[in-house]
């Protein structure tokens, strides 16, 4: 049975409505998943003409009512704003609050096991802040509301899988976070995540923090005091991790087929590698929630919102990847397939 995937519409003033509609205008999506949109039909209708939408809208109140058939766009409609209140390309508290409503509904359905996964269109952090929402971004919302403090962010693009020790911290605070305890827990959680995603005993490569891996303390000592000891302890606990490997070369290990995932220590260390490889197909995944959640790795693009020119390639890839990993997690939960031996 194909997994049921909820697609949140994102900030209604951005390109979210456009790219989710374009995604469901692609017949290939329906070959892999059973998708529906969580959003406001008024904003989808607003962009319907500029994206040359030929599908029929089917308003549903729960996923069970979905037709999941190409040519019909199933929408769980949340009537929380009018288009006059939220023009395209304008940051507003109203838009931030609306986007948050779609996210909360997706979490509710995920916790109730009514969906197998969630793919999220972009939100605008300033709009979220203006609306008084106590989270800085998507990942923090899903972690907080589902009470999943150990959830991790993983980037997926082609054969690259990149986990992040820290995300939305300043660089100086991210460096301070690199301690033995934090890194060891990170390694263990990354290994568990790979097992849940169908890759037990995965080869994990830990990135170094300092230039040239610290040069034995000449360029910083975190490799000596935190990273290498954490790797050694993890190895004793039968985790297949190695490193630290200098960050300017660790990502080449994918090309050499010598690792299955890289453990990145801070935001840009992993983001740059993934986006240089293929920006449009990079998918951000939150692993360790009660359900799989993915996101496009780009923003709301207010400068082109409502013009019909936004590319849906990243959103399409996002939905496909959600379906793939939802199947792996289902196997893991149902019969332990992929569990370590």
């Amino acid at each position: 049975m194909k997994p049921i995937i909820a697609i949140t519409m994102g900030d209604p003033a951005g390109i979210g409505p456009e790219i989710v509609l374009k995604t469901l205008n692609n017949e290939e999506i329906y070959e892999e998943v059973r998708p529906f949109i969580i959003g406001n039909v008024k904003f989808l209708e607003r962009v319907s003409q500029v994206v040359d939408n030929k599908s029929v809208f089917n308003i549903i109140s729960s996923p069970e009512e979905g037709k999941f058939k190409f040519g019909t766009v199933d929408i769980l409609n949340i009537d929380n704003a009018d288009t006059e209140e939220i023009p395209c390309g304008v940051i507003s508290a109203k838009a931030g609050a609306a986007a948050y409503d779609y996210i909360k509904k997706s979490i509710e359905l995920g916790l109730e096991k009514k969906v197998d996964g969630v793919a999220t269109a972009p939100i605008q952090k300033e709009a979220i802040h203006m609306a008084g929402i106590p989270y800085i971004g998507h990942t923090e919302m899903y972690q907080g509301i589902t009470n999943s403090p150990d959830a991790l962010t993983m980037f997926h693009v082609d054969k690259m899988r990149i986990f992040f020790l820290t995300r939305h911290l300043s660089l100086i605070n991210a460096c301070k976070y690199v301690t033995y305890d934090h890194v060891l827990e990170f390694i263990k959680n990354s290994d568990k995540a790979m097992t849940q995603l169908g890759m037990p005993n995965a080869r994990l490569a830990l990135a170094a923090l300092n230039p040239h891996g610290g040069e034995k303390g000449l360029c910083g000592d975190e490799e000596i005091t935190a990273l290498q000891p954490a790797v050694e302890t993890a190895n004793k606990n039968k985790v297949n991790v190695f490193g630290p490997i200098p960050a300017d070369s660790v990502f080449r290990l994918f090309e050499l087929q010598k690792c299955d995932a890289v453990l990145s220590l801070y935001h840009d260390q992993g983001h740059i590698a993934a986006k240089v490889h293929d920006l449009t197909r990079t998918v951000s995944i939150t692993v360790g929630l009660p359900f799989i959640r993915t996101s496009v790795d780009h923003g709301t693009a207010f400068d082109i919102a409502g013009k019909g020119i936004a590319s849906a390639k990243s959103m399409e890839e996002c939905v496909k990847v959600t379906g793939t990993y939802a199947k792996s997690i289902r196997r893991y939960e149902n019969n332990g397939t992929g569990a370590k031996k």
Side-chain angles (χ1 to χ4, degrees):
M1 183 72 73
K2 289 181 285 189
I4 297 176
I5 304 301
I7 308 171
T8 61
M9 195 179 77
D11 189 306
I15 62 171
E18 177 180 338
I19 62 174
V20 299
L21 196 53
K22 284 181 175 179
T23 295
L24 296 193
N25 279 340
N26 182 347
E27 191 169 4
E28 292 180 7
I29 298 297
Y30 289 84
E31 296 171 2
E32 301 186 32
V33 301
R34 291 179 285 168
F36 70 96
I37 298 171
I38 301 176
N40 187 326
V41 70
K42 296 173 184 175
F43 294 91
L44 294 168
E45 289 174 339
R46 180 166 73 180
V47 300
S48 182
Q49 292 184 343
V50 297
V51 302
D52 193 27
N53 174 53
K54 296 180 174 62
S55 299
V56 176
F57 291 146
N58 177 42
I59 306 300
I60 61 177
S61 57
S62 65
E64 305 92 86
E65 298 174 4
K67 295 182 179 179
F68 306 120
K69 182 180 179 181
F70 178 67
T72 299
V73 175
D74 298 304
I75 305 167
L76 199 159
N77 187 44
I78 298 179
D79 190 6
N80 53 5
D82 292 320
T83 53
E84 294 78 11
E85 299 174 289
I86 303 178
C88 290
V90 178
I91 300 173
S92 71
K94 188 75 175 178
Y100 188 51
D101 285 344
Y102 314 143
I103 292 165
K104 288 190 295 182
K105 186 62 178 179
S106 74
I107 293 172
E108 175 188 323
L109 295 175
L111 292 175
E112 293 174 350
K113 301 295 183 183
K114 291 185 177 180
V115 298
D116 297 297
V118 177
T120 56
I123 57 175
Q124 218 287 336
K125 289 182 174 62
E126 186 177 348
I128 292 294
H129 178 73
M130 290 170 63
I133 295 162
Y135 299 103
I136 193 171
H138 266 128
T139 302
E140 291 80 7
M141 293 176 193
Y142 281 89
Q143 280 183 310
I145 298 174
T146 65
N147 191 27
S148 305
D150 293 332
L152 293 172
T153 293
M154 184 188 87
F155 272 16
H156 170 110
V157 54
D158 291 331
K159 294 182 179 180
M160 298 176 70
R161 296 175 182 86
I162 305 170
F163 289 93
F164 293 85
L165 173 65
T166 65
R167 297 181 307 277
H168 298 138
L169 288 180
S170 68
L171 183 56
I172 191 168
N173 286 328
C175 292
K176 291 177 181 178
Y177 195 82
V178 179
T179 65
Y180 168 81
D181 289 335
H182 288 151
V183 173
L184 179 58
E185 189 68 15
F186 173 50
I187 292 171
K188 291 178 178 178
N189 288 338
S190 299
D191 181 60
K192 180 181 178 181
M194 289 293 281
T195 299
Q196 291 174 329
L197 297 175
M199 290 164 279
N201 304 306
R203 299 165 298 170
L204 308 179
L206 177 65
L209 177 66
N210 295 299
H212 309 293
E215 292 280 16
K216 296 183 178 181
L218 296 176
C219 298
D221 66 358
E222 286 82 2
E223 285 74 19
I224 297 171
T225 62
L227 300 177
Q228 185 61 45
V231 167
E232 291 172 357
T233 301
N235 288 159
K236 291 177 183 177
N237 286 280
K238 299 183 179 180
V239 177
N240 189 4
V241 60
F242 60 95
I245 308 296
D248 59 0
S249 57
V250 67
F251 297 100
R252 188 166 183 268
L253 296 177
F254 289 117
E255 181 183 344
L256 300 175
Q257 300 182 7
K258 290 186 176 182
C259 77
D260 300 299
V262 165
L263 309 189
S264 172
L265 299 178
Y266 57 92
H267 184 280
D268 285 6
Q269 190 179 63
H271 276 242
I272 292 170
K275 292 178 180 180
V276 168
H277 179 77
D278 192 335
L279 174 61
T280 61
R281 294 179 59 243
T282 297
V283 177
S284 176
I285 304 170
T286 310
V287 190
L289 303 173
F291 50 89
I292 192 73
R293 172 258 162 181
T294 69
S295 178
V296 294
D297 191 37
H298 61 70
T300 47
F302 279 180
D303 57 323
I304 60 171
K307 298 180 180 179
I309 59 175
S311 171
K313 288 183 179 179
S314 186
M315 192 77 241
E316 292 172 3
E317 187 72 11
C318 183
V319 173
K320 292 176 182 178
V321 168
T322 311
T324 297
Y325 283 132
K327 294 173 187 176
S328 296
I329 291 176
R330 182 191 295 168
R331 288 193 296 268
Y332 176 83
E333 292 178 343
N334 287 347
N335 52 33
T337 299
K340 289 185 178 235
K341 295 179 173 62

